[in-house]
Amino acid sequence: MKSSGAAFYQFEWRAKGTPVSLFNASLDRDNLIYPQNVRSEWRFQSGVRDQGLGLQLYIPSLVTSATGSEADNVLVRISPAKDNALSQRNLKGYDAVQLRIYADQANEHVSVALLNEHGLAYGTVVTLQAGWQSITMPVADLSPMPTVLTKAYPMFMPMNYPHSEPYTFDAEALSKLQGVQLGFVAKDYEIKARDKGHNLVLSEINLIKR
């Protein structure tokens, strides 16, 4: 801490290689973006199975109609927090994304994607079991996914933007991340499971060194 007259500056020292936060439910509030036309419900919950504060992500049913798309089952888009500038961090050696997440029931199929400097999504699909769990995804394994768009004008803009652009998440690319998006993958569920509600609680998303 350095003081100068009535002003002072406070610094938080962290050990080298410490996980770098992309989302922390205990700290982040103003960086959640509601995607265009989706049906998800959000609320913060405290003390979920003794795990502290978490962001509940709920959807009443999964859409698989002929005119629908996986964009209908998106839960949330998370942008970087204002006080968490990745561009100021040394991300050399960070090679995976880790989620701390809770599922009410087993076999929840969830897409998790990073948004690169151009806002394009690269991710993978993970299958969650019931309860709290930590899911680790190597960034080298992330592949192009439809990018979910936020509510925009004009309103005829699509809900998502499919793409196939190749991309490599090296240290420089990670420092330019525009956020994360999560959603359910309806096509991976049995038909009877699509008509009921699905609930997750998200605690943290971090970049880590394996």
Side-chain angles (χ1 to χ4, degrees):
M1 181 181 295
K2 179 180 179 181
S3 62
S4 176
F8 68 90
Y9 305 90
Q10 184 171 346
F11 301 91
E12 182 179 357
W13 296 95
R14 295 185 180 182
K16 186 176 181 180
T18 299
V20 173
S21 176
L22 299 180
F23 173 76
N24 186 319
S26 298
L27 302 174
D28 298 335
R29 294 291 186 279
D30 300 327
N31 56 332
L32 304 179
I33 301 173
Y34 200 77
Q36 184 178 181
N37 297 338
V38 299
R39 302 168 299 115
S40 61
E41 301 173 13
W42 307 341
R43 59 182 59 87
F44 282 93
Q45 292 187 333
S46 181
V48 182
R49 300 290 178 91
D50 300 322
Q51 290 291 313
L53 196 64
L55 173 64
Q56 182 186 22
L57 302 168
Y58 173 80
I59 199 165
S61 63
L62 302 178
V63 175
T64 56
S65 67
T67 58
S69 71
E70 292 299 347
D72 295 299
N73 304 303
V74 168
L75 291 167
V76 66
R77 177 169 169 163
I78 303 172
S79 64
K82 293 180 180 179
D83 60 350
N84 186 21
L86 296 176
S87 60
Q88 300 177 10
R89 296 178 180 270
N90 179 6
L91 298 178
K92 184 177 181 180
Y94 286 83
D95 59 356
V97 182
Q98 188 173 78
L99 282 74
R100 184 66 179 163
I101 193 167
Y102 172 87
D104 272 353
Q105 54 197 0
N107 298 319
E108 294 284 18
H109 306 289
V110 179
S111 65
V112 182
L114 300 182
L115 305 176
N116 74 355
E117 60 185 301
H118 306 297
L120 298 177
Y122 295 82
T124 189
V125 177
V126 297
T127 299
L128 306 180
Q129 300 307 311
W132 281 104
Q133 56 218 279
S134 294
I135 302 295
T136 301
M137 301 165 293
V139 297
D141 293 345
L142 304 183
S143 58
M145 302 186 79
T147 302
V148 176
L149 302 180
T150 56
K151 188 174 183 179
Y153 182 86
M155 295 305 292
F156 59 77
M157 293 289 286
M159 291 177 63
N160 64 2
Y161 174 73
H163 72 98
S164 58
E165 297 292 329
Y167 195 80
T168 300
F169 283 103
D170 56 16
E172 181 179 1
L174 290 173
S175 72
K176 298 177 181 179
L177 285 179
Q178 297 299 303
V180 185
Q181 69 179 42
L182 287 85
F184 288 110
V185 184
K187 64 182 180 61
D188 290 347
Y189 286 82
E190 295 182 2
I191 294 177
K192 62 182 180 181
R194 300 172 187 168
D195 295 329
K196 61 182 181 180
H198 296 265
N199 182 66
L200 307 175
V201 181
L202 179 63
S203 175
E204 295 181 27
I205 306 176
N206 296 306
L207 292 174
I208 65 169
K209 292 182 178 182
R210 290 180 296 163

